[in-house]
Each structure stands twice: as C-alpha cells, then as structure tokens.
Amino acid sequence: MSGGHFDYAQHKIGQIADEIQHLIDTNGSEETDAYGYKLGYSFPEEVIGKFREAVLTLRKAEIMAHRIDWLVSGDDGEEVFLQQWNEDLTKIAQRD
C-alpha cells in the first residue's frame, strides 16, 4: 500500500462521509433496529441539504489528503499529483 504520511487518516474522512450519507438515506425511515429504536431521523430538507453539502466537501477533502499523501510519500511526482488531483476532483464533481 502506498502513502502513509498521514497514517491513512484520509480514509477516516471517507468513513465520516459514508456515515452522513447513511443519515441522508435513512432520514424519515420508520424502520427500527433490534432494540426498537427508529433508524431514521426526521430532519427537514434544508438540514438534509446541508448534509449533502458536507458529504461532497468531505469526499473532496479525502481526495485532496490522499493526493497530497502520495506526493509527499514519494509515490507520485508533481506532474502525476496535478493530473490525478484534477481528474479525481472532476469525477467527484460529476457524481454530484
């Protein structure tokens, strides 16, 4: 595995984004867990919109940290860093 400058903490950023996405996906759900607690909250759309904004920002942050990690760890050179930075961020913007 490459990188390591940030002790792979960029993956934790991705996990936070995943958890917020789960909150979005289950918002308003009436399903219950094994203990009888509702799985979803009932946040209004304005709040969910902010959650969506946070997910996008966190996904970008994860990519940025990953690209910098690989550059300073010597896995990528500056040219590859710049190319991958642009490609990865363009992909994330297109998913939005």
Side-chain angles (χ1 to χ4, degrees), residues 6-21:
F6 300 124
D7 294 326
Y8 308 103
Q10 64 268 29
H11 299 297
K12 291 181 182 181
I13 299 170
Q15 290 172 340
I16 293 169
D18 290 342
E19 289 182 33
I20 295 171
Q21 184 62 54

Side-chain angles (χ1 to χ4, degrees), residues 4-63:
H5 183 81
F6 300 124
D7 294 326
Y8 308 103
Q10 64 268 29
H11 299 297
K12 291 181 182 181
I13 299 170
Q15 290 172 340
I16 293 169
D18 290 342
E19 289 182 33
I20 295 171
Q21 184 62 54
H22 180 72
L23 291 171
I24 294 167
D25 294 343
T26 60
N27 189 54
S29 173
E30 295 296 324
E31 290 183 66
T32 57
D33 64 15
Y35 302 102
Y37 294 104
K38 283 187 2 181
L39 293 177
Y41 294 90
S42 295
F43 294 119
E45 186 55 39
E46 184 177 9
V47 171
I48 294 300
K50 298 299 183 188
F51 282 17
R52 287 187 183 99
E53 186 179 327
V55 169
L56 179 60
T57 300
L58 288 164
R59 298 267 185 236
K60 288 179 182 179
E62 179 185 18
I63 288 168

